[in-house]
Amino acid sequence: MKSQQLKWLYLTILALIWGSSFILIKRGLVGLNPLQVGSLRMVFAAVFLLVIGFRNLPKIPLHQWKYLALTALFGTFIPAFLFAIAQTQIDSSVSSILNSLTPLNTLMIGALIFGLQFKRIQIIGVFIGFIGTSLLILNGALHHPEQNYYFAILVLIATLCYALNVNLIKRYLSDLSPLSISVGNFTVMLIPALVILISTGFLEIMSKIEVQHAIFYIMILGVVGTGIANIIFFKLIQMATPVFATSVTYLIPIVAFFWGMLDHEALTLVQLMGAAIILIGVYLTSKK
């Protein structure tokens, strides 16, 4: 297969995998609580990445482990729990749309904390994105009073964590290979994740059928949605431009929306308009 065709194939696979992660979290929450979902997801991903990439650990300089710990905390550890807790109250499709705010927050944190340059069109994109966010959340709260849309704030905090993580990697870990960063991150998280998982009484409920089904969904989320997806993403970055690779941001909510429809989730017309406005804002923010 030609390189041009292959990069489109990788992009499509990533959109399908990451767009499906939100419904997998929802399925996992049927038998597990949010702390168990978040910690088990990290355990599965850590084991998978260590199996395929443990040889990269000696290549990591000692002084960079503190930055790996920070990127592990903000890039995976905190968001894994925030998304799981948020989806106990809001739909998976709404969660995925709010997740697309990550590029906007990356720009803001890069400018405010790391002194990165930005253009006027990007600032306009940020404001447009947050107008769409307001429409999505406020209209959702109005039409779905049975859901607590204050929990959407947790997703917004998660996107800020992702944004901080991107800037930390760019500033302090750009000389490490993506696989080394991933393996280092999950090596740091494995023990804390195991401690949280065991302390929630996970071992006592493993025999329940609904728990076993939930474990299966989270195993897919950890291995495929985190481990394999990261490898594909790294390959895509190597063969295409970063702009092309990050365009998966626009496709993820589409996939998640259709999963939500199959699971009888419904967005109002105003919410769909809000989602479209968010994606327009993300597009403007991502412009060179």
Side-chain angles (χ1 to χ4, degrees):
M1 186 178 294
K2 294 180 180 178
S3 177
Q4 185 70 15
Q5 296 172 322
L6 195 58
K7 70 179 186 180
W8 279 103
L9 176 63
Y10 284 158
L11 189 75
T12 303
I13 293 173
L14 277 176
L16 291 172
I17 291 175
W18 282 337
S20 303
S21 64
F22 301 92
I23 196 68
L24 289 171
I25 293 174
K26 184 177 181 179
R27 285 284 181 261
L29 287 168
V30 173
L32 301 170
N33 65 41
L35 291 180
Q36 291 166 340
V37 168
S39 54
L40 190 61
R41 174 184 184 178
M42 284 181 277
V43 169
F44 278 126
V47 171
F48 173 76
L49 286 167
L50 282 169
V51 167
I52 67 169
F54 71 95
R55 293 185 180 87
N56 288 67
L57 291 177
K59 301 177 182 177
I60 302 174
L62 189 60
H63 72 276
Q64 289 188 311
W65 277 100
K66 59 185 176 183
Y67 299 119
L68 283 170
L70 284 173
T71 55
L73 180 67
F74 293 110
T76 302
F77 196 84
I78 295 176
F81 294 115
L82 291 178
F83 275 107
I85 295 170
Q87 283 191 216
T88 62
Q89 294 294 326
I90 64 174
D91 288 337
S92 61
S93 52
V94 172
S95 182
S96 72
I97 294 168
L98 293 175
N99 180 61
S100 65
L101 288 168
T102 299
L104 281 71
N105 290 331
T106 301
L107 172 69
M108 289 198 305
I109 289 180
L112 296 175
I113 300 178
F114 294 90
L116 300 182
Q117 299 297 314
F118 54 87
K119 293 186 176 181
R120 182 184 302 174
I121 189 68
Q122 293 175 311
I123 296 299
I124 293 173
V126 169
F127 282 110
I128 289 175
F130 281 105
I131 289 172
T133 303
S134 301
L135 278 177
L136 182 72
I137 294 176
L138 294 176
N139 190 260
L142 180 65
H143 286 83
H144 299 282
E146 75 284 0
Q147 297 181 5
N148 189 344
Y149 264 74
Y150 283 112
F151 278 67
I153 296 173
L154 299 180
V155 178
L156 298 180
I157 295 172
T159 64
L160 287 169
C161 289
Y162 284 148
L164 181 58
N165 173 61
V166 170
N167 281 288
L168 285 170
I169 290 176
K170 181 69 175 178
R171 177 64 64 90
Y172 300 111
L173 298 174
S174 58
D175 55 334
L176 287 182
S177 71
L179 185 56
S180 294
I181 295 172
S182 293
V183 177
N185 280 165
F186 282 92
T187 299
V188 170
M189 289 185 288
L190 180 56
I191 299 302
L194 279 172
V195 170
I196 293 173
L197 183 64
I198 295 172
S199 66
T200 58
F202 173 75
L203 298 179
E204 286 76 22
I205 63 172
M206 285 181 61
S207 59
K208 297 180 179 180
I209 296 298
E210 65 271 20
V211 173
Q212 293 174 0
H213 289 165
I215 291 172
F216 175 72
Y217 290 122
I218 301 306
M219 180 183 67
I220 296 174
L221 178 64
V223 174
V224 181
T226 301
I228 294 176
N230 279 346
I231 296 171
I232 295 173
F233 188 58
F234 300 153
K235 289 184 177 180
L236 181 60
I237 290 175
Q238 290 172 349
M239 68 189 313
T241 64
V243 173
F244 181 86
T246 55
S247 63
V248 71
T249 303
Y250 310 113
L251 303 178
I252 290 173
I254 298 173
V255 176
F257 172 70
F258 282 106
W259 274 118
M261 287 180 59
L262 291 174
D263 204 48
H264 308 293
E265 295 179 4
L267 295 177
T268 66
L269 180 60
V270 175
Q271 282 184 300
L272 289 173
M273 289 174 57
I277 292 170
I278 288 172
L279 294 180
I280 291 171
V282 172
Y283 170 75
L284 294 176
T285 304
S286 301
K287 288 181 71 68
K288 289 184 178 180

